[in-house]
Amino acid sequence: MDVHVHVKLLNNYPKYFEITTCTDNRLMSDDRGPSRVFSSGYDPDDPVWDVDPSDTNQMISLSFLAKYGACYVAPPGGTPSEYWVGGESLTRAIMDDIVEASFCADVETGCPDMDVSSLPTVSRRPTSDDGEGLWNYSPEVEDFYPNNYIKPNMRDLTHYDYDDTKFDKAYKYHMDNNLPNVDKSIIKPHNVVALPIFKGFGYDLFYNMDNSNARFPYKGWWSDNLQNKDHTLVAGQAQANDVAVDKEDMVDGWVNLRDLTDQETLVSSKLGNIYVCLFNQHRARVDPQGTRNTYPHNVYQNNVVPILPDLEIDDWRLTSYNCDPSLYQYSPQNISMVDNLLQTNSARDWLYFASNLRGNAKETLNAMIKLQPISGVRYEGIAKVWDGGRFVYWNPANGPNSFLVVDNPVNVVDARRAELRVYQEVFPDVVPTFDAEIYQVIRILDPDEYGRTFDLPIYLNHYGFGDAAVSVYVGAEGTSALLLPGRDVIAKVDFFNNAGFDWNLQGEAIEAEELGEAPLSASDLLYRVKHAILAPLKYNFLSVHIPQELSAYLSVAPSRHTAGIAPLFFDFMNVNVASIRDGFRGTYYYNFSLAADIPSTLTGRLYEIPITINPEYFDHLPGYNDPTREGFHDYTLSIPPIQIGIPFLDDYPVSSWRGKVFYTSSRASNIELHQSLPDNIVPVSAKVISTADLLDLRSISSTTNETTTENLHNFYESLGPDVDLQVTAGAGGQEATYNLASVLPQLPIPRDQGPDTTSYYILMKAEAPSLPFGENVVSEDLSVEFQDHVPKTKSSRLGKPRTRTIVAKGAWLDVGYSAKLVSHRTLNELHDQHVRLGASATARLVLTADNIGSSVAYNTNFTVHLAPEIKPVVELLGRESAPGVTYTITKDVESGNYSVGVELKDDLVPGTPTSTILFIRYVPQSTTRAQADSATYLKMVDGMSATMFLGETLGNKRVTQTLMESYSVPVVEDPAPVIVLNGEITDEFDISLSARVEHVPGDVTTVWFKFLRRATSGQDAWEVISFGESNTTVDSLLRKFNSTQRMKDPDFAWEIVAQIHGLVLNPQLRQPSDGVNPSDLAVLAESDPLNFSNS
């Protein structure tokens, strides 16, 4: 998961403002040396210009006359009453006197002819004033600053650190912490921010500049550059935004330093600083004719910049960096590509940054950190995800070398996880080969939750929302989150506000009583300041929801222990504050008291106590009366529930539970089991069983006798309830899904007392119509799928080995076969074992059956199922087979397919194989497209099955076994070679033969004529009577020969056939060389015989 870190930096000193500045007393200089004007008085109708009014690329700086007369004078036609000084509305006469006094005050003799004592002066509104009405106000000053920039306490000089002396009538210093830029003489930042990247403990945290999340537009780290759009920006813009987080950059224009007019020497020097060169090569544009104030000294394109880890104190890159004009300046969008990660061998790495932070401004720093588990480690409990940043800043109010350190709070989360595991057992160990019943036990377990105890004296948790967070801490001030009867525990609720606006409590949000007045700090003692000491009575803006069963014994009220305690920093008040300021936090304490008479039935538990926010007591909250644009804050602020453990008492009956608090970290829900099963295992149903049921099942299965199967069956039928079991066809098997929602809504299962139940058992019954003899896989895989508390869907598989097996005993047949294409006439094996398109084919199948099981197979019958267009050769049934085998041919009426039944004479005893032979033939039908057309293989056998009778010990029943799958022969698209023989007897002994050859591949055809003598016994004998002669072009061959002697044999009928013999070589047909016997060559084609009588 991703961890978004959102750090807000703030400068709590006032922002820049001078109450006597306006356009009319503005002095401009282009910063080129002695021409800059410093004057305490001049004629406003004759202003001093030493800049070019038309050149907006000048490096203009603004100075102002200290006198306020020019800014508190209404222009001709203006309304003097709109101007106020020291609480007095001015008249034209008073304005004239103020202007005159401002001029004569420059004369050494002063203003002897004027009584200036009666003139009002800019001053601080006295504390006795009720604050109503204007005190100091000038439209000229108001218009010189951005709209909404000047607040009433700034006009009245009542904001702290504003001066009201004869020397200063404004904020004396610019309490800005800056970065190096062209307007500053510093070469190093005033601020250093160190972000530790905690590496994790039991889990892994790491930062990478490419870390990203779809919720945010940037990678790695980034700043929102709030100071370029906030209420402290003075860059000639028209508006100042109190809420800047949802606004766009308002700086009207930037000037590249190299484009500044006549500033080559200065710019060259400044660009030699790496911070200026890489991150802030631009200056805010100052328009010489602009009507609003611009203060470029504290305006930066990048307000947060990385610090390179290898920069040294006097590094040459601070003054002599080679800033080539082509060198890229990083923008806020890609600045994180600068590698500022310092990797260490310790518990944390570091990111270093520097920041511009002008008075009263806020700035953000975001980082994206990846959190991931460590393989093999399952961590739960309080987990630190953010180690807190360190902010080192310059505090010139304490002296030129004063640097202070502020540490950001550490953030933790309550790490919870549901991690279910599955385990599996199979019963019984041994089953019959046919009609077996198999029982599979599935155990679902969360091993990490077994006997989990809460034993920490504290409980700490944070909820983070991006730019706000809320934390709870139980066990503050030395109390313990393990609450004993009669004791108290203090819990703290912290609100961290980085949302961009203040959260102000309203009305009776906090009811309190005043305990008196007292100074709270050394500063209070020094200045003799007393504060009202308030003790809270009730937090109406929060509601604590104590569990109903505990409400009579647990009471809660705001804690009073912090009343009168000084804050850590004088200006960082946070305890019981009525305003949770942006960039600050608000802290509120509760005291919980447990009654001494709490019953033992309520002990031993960890109680979760929710606390909710009542938003109606706030003026604004993220998502509630939110001043940002709609949808900017897409969350509702909430508080982590606090946790308090009440241990079992020392006299509790179960001694092993005494003093302990049991709890469950996380529960799994929407639990489903997914199981992969072989095709021959058929799930029937599943039921819930208890631990006691499992022990009974093991006991029944351990006794192996003739009643074991029946006992298991009866035991299963007695169980309940049923589990929703769905079975679907899967890849290579079956998929079983167990939906446990109705029987197991969550795991662990809650108990009233003691540890929750962490295990659950399911018993699935399956049937196996047939199992091969020996070891069989009955479950191929098992996994549990569930949702954790997030909810996030997770799964866990059965550990290796993931398969489960049993042993099958009994009769089991194994059939092997060899199949070859043969000559339909001679039954000799063909050289070419391919079926040709459109040609018939005959196959010789040798079936060998063997009983490889442990019992006799009685009265065994085999059935061979032939494929479409395949027929048995009836006249050859039984040929070459063992005696006593009976054959039966059947034809399916609907499909027209044939089956051949084979009934063996003898029973099949284990280890005594027997064989039988079948001849089958494929003859393409002329009325339909042949099965072999354009196919790769021709299926000749669809499959084979057997039936057998089992003996008494196996149930006295006839069972069926599927023996083998289909048998196919390869097909080639080439037409089959054809030879057509014609002949006639031209006289008594002379025969004229003509052979026509087709579809013979190659360029050579060799034909042999053969004389067949057929005796009365039916035995065939072949003799070659003539070799053909090779001819590369002839389609038909004509031969004549005299066969007087052969044809006069009275005991034989005779006929003549023609054959094509040859060698097939890639795939040309080659003529055999001289001396090769044609019987050694392949017969490629054979003609039908020509019959001649012996007369």
Side-chain angles (χ1 to χ4, degrees), residues 194-205:
L195 299 189
I197 309 300
F198 179 62
K199 297 179 182 178
F201 182 78
Y203 48 94
D204 189 21
L205 284 164

Side-chain angles (χ1 to χ4, degrees), residues 84 86 121 140 154 222 299 314 318 552 844 915 918 978 1043 1087:
W84 291 72
T121 60
E140 311 300 323
M154 296 166 62
W222 67 94
V299 181
D314 296 320
L318 298 175
R844 179 178 184 270
S915 298
L918 295 179
V978 175
S1043 54
S1087 73

Side-chain angles (χ1 to χ4, degrees), residues 28 136 261 442 484 561 630 811 829 862 874 945 983 1053 1094:
M28 293 190 178
N136 301 312
T261 303
I442 301 172
L484 296 174
H561 76 280
E630 184 177 357
E829 180 181 334
F862 297 95
V874 178
S945 61
N1094 58 4

